[in-house]
Amino acid sequence: MKIKKIIGIIFAFLVFYLIISNSNNVMANDQTYVGNINSQLVKFNVGKVNDATYVSGEIIIVEWVDGLSTVPKVAPKMSFKSVDNSVNLEVFVTATGTNTYYFDRYIEGIDTSKEYYFEVESGNEKNVSESKSMNVYFRGTDYNNTIVGRYHDKKIKLLEQKIIFEEYTYIGNINSQLVKFNVGKANNATYVSGEIIIVEWVDGLSTVPEVAPIMRFKSVDGSVNIDVFVTATGTNTYYFDRYIEGIDTSKEYYFEVTSGDVANKSPNKTMNVKFEGTKHNNTIVGNYNKWRIRLLGQKIIFEDNSYIGNINSELKKMSTVKSGNNTFISGEIVVVEWVDGLSTVPEVKPKMSFKSTDGEVNMEVFVTPTGTNTYYFDRILEGMNQEKEYYFEVESGNERNVSQSKNMRVKFEGEFNSHIF
């Protein structure tokens, strides 16, 4: 009995101890503290992502508790606020070290007539200090009273604890020099492209533009004004391109280049791209359909480059072939174009079509060269309406050929006439 009584006393004591311990833990967990916040700016940057401006940096944040500098147990909070209290925006914050934090905030669309500041605050709800938040000070850092970056036509200055937007303009006279010019095709659409050097003359010095320049493709009569793609390829060198498919070739055109910096207030921040003084001036740089493209002075001119090429053809081979469950008709054909009384080899591969005499069927035929002016062709026949009559038509594939006789039906003469395949 004594042993049972002793065990009961020990058990009761353990239960009482656990209750007291848990109670003490709850009290400890609920305990508040006074942690005075302090911060020191380490870095400050102004950048752009997708044409949107942001500010970012690195900051040291500590909490002073009982006279000791402590690392915050909970990530601090930061806000971007206006001095007049009309703006209060959250700032992204993440730890980068023991008590060092990276921060950033997009400022695109901000009212630049206002002044702003960063506020840093303890993120710990148990911190009941009246000094658990503070404005970030720039004095005593490398950034105080300095211009840290640009926001459109404003300079961003840090002063004491304020972020100020100051008016910024300059006179930058634009100048350009054409380096390359090309005419190409992509997806059967013609484009022009090239490389150009662009500088801005500021206070007598040739400077690299801070902002990418703008290029336009314009007609001399003012009826066409379309944008040109531009991207930097070097210090002050830019690649450009513009599709011209569907352009009115009766007009004359030019490229215009403009400073892309809204802070540039120069009356000479725009100029036409000049071709004189370059290897491209008064030269044919390529073709667009039946026109030649000439650069002359500062104009892009389309000159008629058409020709009369009467088509002629002679069938050399023709047969039907089975492949799997499909029947093909294939052969070899000689195609020439008669230009100014001379038989010429086509510059461009001819086209062939498989057509019905009633006009209801018109299908493309595969064509590939096999010699100087000889071509292999084939066409699947499976599924054809056998009650119709058909023929092959061959046509010049050159867009410059404007002959009324640039196409013809293939004649089945000699051994092919009345031949059964």
Side-chain angles (χ1 to χ4, degrees):
M1 289 294 292
K2 285 184 180 180
I3 293 173
K4 288 184 179 179
K5 195 172 186 180
I6 291 169
I7 292 172
I9 292 169
I10 292 171
F11 180 75
F13 176 77
L14 286 173
V15 170
F16 176 75
Y17 175 77
L18 289 173
I19 291 171
I20 294 298
S21 296
N22 286 336
S23 176
N24 287 337
N25 285 335
V26 170
M27 289 176 65
N29 287 337
D30 287 340
Q31 187 175 356
T32 59
Y33 71 99
V34 176
N36 300 329
I37 205 83
N38 199 6
S39 67
Q40 181 185 349
L41 184 71
V42 180
K43 293 179 184 176
F44 195 94
N45 305 294
V46 178
K48 273 201 169 191
V49 175
N50 299 326
D51 291 328
T53 304
Y54 67 92
V55 291
S56 65
E58 196 169 64
I59 192 168
I60 295 170
I61 300 172
V62 296
E63 291 184 11
W64 287 86
V65 182
D66 296 331
L68 295 176
S69 170
T70 66
V71 177
K73 293 181 180 178
V74 179
K77 300 175 183 176
M78 281 187 73
S79 302
F80 183 73
K81 295 184 175 183
S82 61
V83 173
D84 67 2
N85 294 319
S86 63
V87 176
N88 185 350
L89 302 172
E90 184 181 357
V91 175
F92 172 77
V93 180
T94 188
T96 56
T98 306
N99 58 354
T100 307
Y101 301 86
Y102 165 85
F103 66 90
D104 67 42
R105 173 68 222 183
Y106 276 103
I107 61 168
E108 199 62 37
I110 209 78
D111 183 349
T112 54
S113 67
K114 298 180 185 294
E115 296 180 341
Y116 298 87
Y117 64 94
F118 281 111
E119 180 186 82
V120 63
E121 181 182 2
S122 169
N124 198 329
E125 295 177 348
K126 298 185 180 67
N127 189 346
V128 294
S129 171
E130 292 182 356
S131 302
K132 73 172 186 176
S133 65
M134 69 169 289
N135 296 350
V136 175
Y137 288 93
F138 306 124
R139 63 174 176 266
T141 73
D142 294 336
Y143 302 99
N144 189 44
N145 200 20
T146 62
I147 303 300
V148 290
R150 286 271 310 276
Y151 174 68
H152 300 294
D153 60 345
K154 307 290 183 186
K155 294 183 292 186
I156 303 174
K157 178 183 278 190
L158 306 185
L159 183 61
E160 297 296 323
Q161 60 183 4
K162 292 190 294 186
I163 301 160
I164 303 166
F165 294 87
E166 295 183 343
E167 199 70 35
Y168 172 64
T169 60
Y170 70 98
I171 304 298
N173 299 328
I174 204 84
N175 200 6
S176 67
Q177 180 186 351
L178 185 70
V179 180
K180 295 178 184 176
F181 196 95
N182 305 294
V183 178
K185 274 207 168 191
N187 301 321
N188 291 322
T190 303
Y191 66 90
V192 291
S193 65
E195 195 170 66
I196 191 168
I197 294 170
I198 300 173
V199 297
E200 291 183 11
W201 287 87
V202 182
D203 297 330
L205 297 175
S206 171
T207 66
V208 178
E210 289 185 31
V211 181
I214 298 167
M215 283 186 74
R216 310 289 297 173
F217 184 72
K218 294 185 171 184
S219 62
V220 173
D221 66 3
S223 63
V224 177
N225 183 350
I226 47 182
D227 68 297
V228 175
F229 172 77
V230 180
T231 188
T233 56
T235 306
N236 58 355
T237 308
Y238 301 86
Y239 165 84
F240 66 88
D241 67 43
R242 173 68 227 181
Y243 276 103
I244 59 168
E245 200 63 35
I247 208 79
D248 183 347
T249 53
S250 68
K251 299 180 186 293
E252 295 180 340
Y253 299 87
Y254 63 96
F255 282 110
E256 179 187 84
V257 61
T258 303
S259 168
D261 199 328
V262 292
N264 189 350
K265 303 303 179 184
S266 171
N268 299 313
K269 70 174 185 176
T270 297
M271 71 169 290
N272 295 349
V273 175
K274 297 174 182 176
F275 306 124
E276 57 259 54
T278 74
K279 64 181 179 181
H280 305 288
N281 189 45
N282 200 19
T283 62
I284 303 300
V285 290
N287 295 310
Y288 170 62
N289 296 342
K290 66 173 185 174
W291 294 275
R292 297 180 300 187
I293 302 174
R294 183 187 294 275
L295 306 184
L296 183 61
Q298 53 187 276
K299 293 190 293 186
I300 302 161
I301 301 166
F302 293 87
E303 298 177 345
D304 190 354
N305 192 30
S306 62
Y307 69 96
I308 305 295
N310 299 329
I311 205 84
N312 199 6
S313 66
E314 181 184 354
L315 188 66
K316 290 294 185 182
K317 296 177 184 176
M318 192 159 133
S319 61
T320 55
V321 180
K322 272 243 179 211
S323 178
N325 294 323
N326 295 321
T327 302
F328 288 83
I329 187 167
S330 65
E332 194 172 67
I333 191 169
V334 174
V335 180
V336 297
E337 291 183 12
W338 287 86
V339 182
D340 297 330
L342 297 175
S343 172
T344 66
V345 177
E347 292 180 13
V348 180
K349 181 180 68 177
K351 301 175 185 176
M352 281 188 74
S353 303
F354 187 71
K355 297 183 175 183
S356 62
T357 54
D358 63 5
E360 290 184 359
V361 177
N362 184 352
M363 297 187 297
E364 185 180 357
V365 174
F366 173 77
V367 179
T368 189
T370 56
T372 305
N373 57 357
T374 308
Y375 303 88
Y376 165 84
F377 66 89
D378 67 41
R379 173 69 225 181
I380 191 169
L381 298 178
E382 215 58 47
M384 290 290 166
N385 185 340
Q386 299 177 19
E387 295 181 0
K388 294 181 183 291
E389 294 182 340
Y390 300 89
Y391 63 94
F392 283 108
E393 181 183 82
V394 63
E395 180 182 3
S396 169
N398 200 329
E399 294 172 331
R400 299 192 299 112
N401 190 347
V402 294
S403 171
Q404 292 184 352
S405 302
K406 70 174 184 177
N407 59 340
M408 68 171 291
R409 290 191 184 187
V410 175
K411 297 174 182 176
F412 302 126
E413 298 175 321
E415 63 179 294
F416 302 107
N417 191 32
S418 301
H419 186 77
I420 303 298
F421 294 99

